Amino acid sequence: MGAALPGAVVREAPELIDRVPHVPVDVPPSWAAFFDGYGAEEAEDAHRRADALTGRFACPAATETHEVLVTHAYQVAWLVRDALDAPPVRWLGLNWGNAALTVIEYRDGTAPTVLLYNDMGHLPAEPRWTGFGPGTRP
């Protein structure tokens, strides 16, 4: 991917690995099967990952910076939930399509701004699908 962005610095980020960022204390009934088997150790590990993710990416930089994060739906959902100051359990209902674009702006002294959310306009119609819920297929 770095070849498509000449001059861009490409770095791996362990915070962006496809892992659950938060295990709710009170799991919503519709998510019970998903979280079946998650114990206290997994919940604590998820909490550490969520803190690391927001600590690294959900804050203004010292100088104007533009970062492209190539990651998974769970991490995007967690960052959007954080930007909207929503309760931790809210990440569960934020579904994304493959290759969708989301842009969050962080500036000193202001709340984060979600500028673009799950935009798939750059894709042909067929892949514009979140895979969640009835009737979501184009």
Side-chain angles (χ1 to χ4, degrees):
M1 180 174 79
L5 299 168
V9 176
V10 177
R11 294 183 302 259
E12 289 186 34
E15 298 87 355
L16 301 178
I17 293 172
D18 190 19
R19 296 280 189 101
V20 169
H22 174 75
V23 178
V25 174
D26 296 316
V27 175
S30 60
W31 285 88
F34 179 82
F35 286 108
D36 186 38
Y38 277 81
E41 187 176 314
E42 290 90 357
E44 182 56 36
D45 187 46
H47 181 77
R48 281 192 300 275
R49 281 194 307 276
D51 286 347
L53 179 65
T54 53
R56 180 165 178 184
F57 297 111
C59 55
T63 60
E64 185 169 331
T65 303
H66 300 89
E67 290 185 290
V68 176
L69 309 182
V70 179
T71 191
H72 300 271
Y74 297 158
Q75 284 63 39
V76 176
W78 187 257
L79 290 170
V80 169
R81 182 228 49 91
D82 181 75
L84 297 175
D85 200 23
V89 72
R90 244 346 245 125
W91 79 271
L92 293 174
L94 299 172
N95 301 322
W96 266 263
N98 292 330
L101 302 175
T102 295
V103 177
I104 304 172
E105 180 180 58
Y106 298 92
R107 293 196 179 270
D108 280 330
T110 64
T113 304
V114 178
L115 300 173
L116 193 63
Y117 171 84
N118 199 36
D119 180 23
M120 293 181 270
H122 58 288
L123 299 173
E126 181 60 23
R128 292 183 197 176
W129 176 65
T130 63
F132 300 95
T136 59
R137 201 71 146 126

